[in-house]
Amino acid sequence: MRLDESFFQGGNVTKIASELLGKVLVTCFDGVRTSGMIVETEAYSHRERGCHAYGGKKTKRNEVMFEPGGLAYVYLCYGVHHLFNVVTNQKDKADAVLIRAIQPMEGIEMMKSRMNTGHDKRITSGPGKLTKALGIDLTVNGMPMDGDVVWVEHREKALLKKKVLESPRIGIDYAGDDAKLLWRFSLRDNEWVSR
DNA sequence: TACGTGATCACG
DNA sequence: GTGATCACGTAA
């Protein structure tokens, strides 16, 4: 079952970030499906300093965050890596969830090919790696999560709460005290979580 | 621990 | 226009 916009417009970005754990992120390019179970996410809200849209700051890069929830927000980080987010909340309330790691499911050969490697060890264990493995780049920015390129499926029953680990977000030292928020969610003991 | 990498942003 | 910055990954 596919998640629709009602899921992404729920308004509580940390709740959505934790609920995305265990769900399946899917892409389909040229008829080839690749997918993986989401094992690590981070929440970002316009109300805190870690967010690109902090204080309602709207730029060319982040304008899709100001649209209603259910769109993909992709941007280039450090000139090399595409990072994939899902916009949540409602129009002009710019919140998003960063997908940081997945556990490969479908299309593993395609992922290995995209990663230029012969093995499948930890090929999706990080926000920049999973986008490469899934074929996500800037052309995906702004796409709806209920189209035929990228979407999220719900397959398994609800996760046990105690499987969800909450910790500080990675790589946002510039956010001051907001860097201490426990807004990173991961599946405890899952080997595909990033380091 | 160091640094590549290039789009984007905040200045002028 | 230009320089600083950056929600990472890899090598060492």
Side-chain angles (χ1 to χ4, degrees):
Chain A
M1 187 184 83
R2 251 191 228 210
L3 300 186
D4 60 24
E5 58 187 25
S6 67
F7 177 87
F8 298 112
Q9 294 174 2
N12 184 335
V13 69
T14 53
K15 181 165 183 278
I16 293 171
S18 64
E19 288 179 354
L20 279 170
L21 296 176
K23 305 224 172 357
V24 181
L25 178 63
V26 187
T27 63
C28 186
F29 293 98
D30 299 322
V32 181
R33 275 174 72 114
T34 48
S35 71
M37 182 176 72
I38 298 168
V39 299
E40 180 181 349
T41 62
E42 284 178 359
Y44 288 88
S45 162
H46 61 99
R47 294 184 300 266
E48 49 82 24
R49 303 197 67 90
C51 184
H52 290 161
Y54 172 60
K57 187 182 72 171
K58 190 176 190 175
T59 66
K60 180 108 180 172
R61 177 177 69 165
N62 72 7
E63 62 185 357
V64 62
M65 289 186 73
F66 291 79
E67 295 298 312
L71 301 181
Y73 169 43
V74 182
Y75 69 96
L76 187 65
C77 181
Y78 296 106
V80 211
H81 306 108
H82 299 283
L83 267 57
F84 175 80
N85 302 253
V86 185
V87 177
T88 67
N89 217 326
Q90 294 152 17
K91 185 169 171 52
D92 293 328
K93 295 183 178 178
D95 296 349
V97 174
L98 170 68
I99 309 297
R100 287 191 56 88
I102 64 174
Q103 175 173 333
M105 295 178 68
E106 300 162 88
I108 293 177
E109 289 307 312
M110 177 52 112
M111 294 194 210
K112 285 158 64 176
S113 166
R114 287 179 177 140
M115 300 302 281
N116 300 313
T117 181
H119 66 79
D120 60 1
K121 198 177 165 206
R122 301 188 65 78
I123 51 174
T124 53
S125 296
K129 293 162 79 177
L130 75 90
T131 53
K132 187 172 180 187
L134 292 180
I136 292 170
D137 61 19
L138 287 177
T139 65
V140 174
N141 187 44
M143 283 191 181
M145 296 295 294
D146 59 359
D148 52 9
V149 172
V150 58
W151 63 90
V152 178
E153 294 180 4
H154 173 72
R155 296 195 190 172
E156 326 224 347
K157 53 189 182 216
L159 291 167
L160 294 177
K161 191 111 182 182
K162 65 184 194 183
K163 299 272 281 188
V164 178
L165 183 64
E166 302 181 2
S167 56
R169 294 172 293 176
I170 307 291
I172 55 162
D173 293 342
Y174 58 84
D177 283 347
D178 289 335
K180 298 175 185 164
L181 293 170
L182 301 179
W183 282 15
R184 175 182 179 225
F185 303 91
S186 58
L187 287 187
R188 197 184 298 274
D189 299 328
N190 185 288
E191 60 177 340
W192 293 90
V193 171
S194 71
R195 302 207 217 271

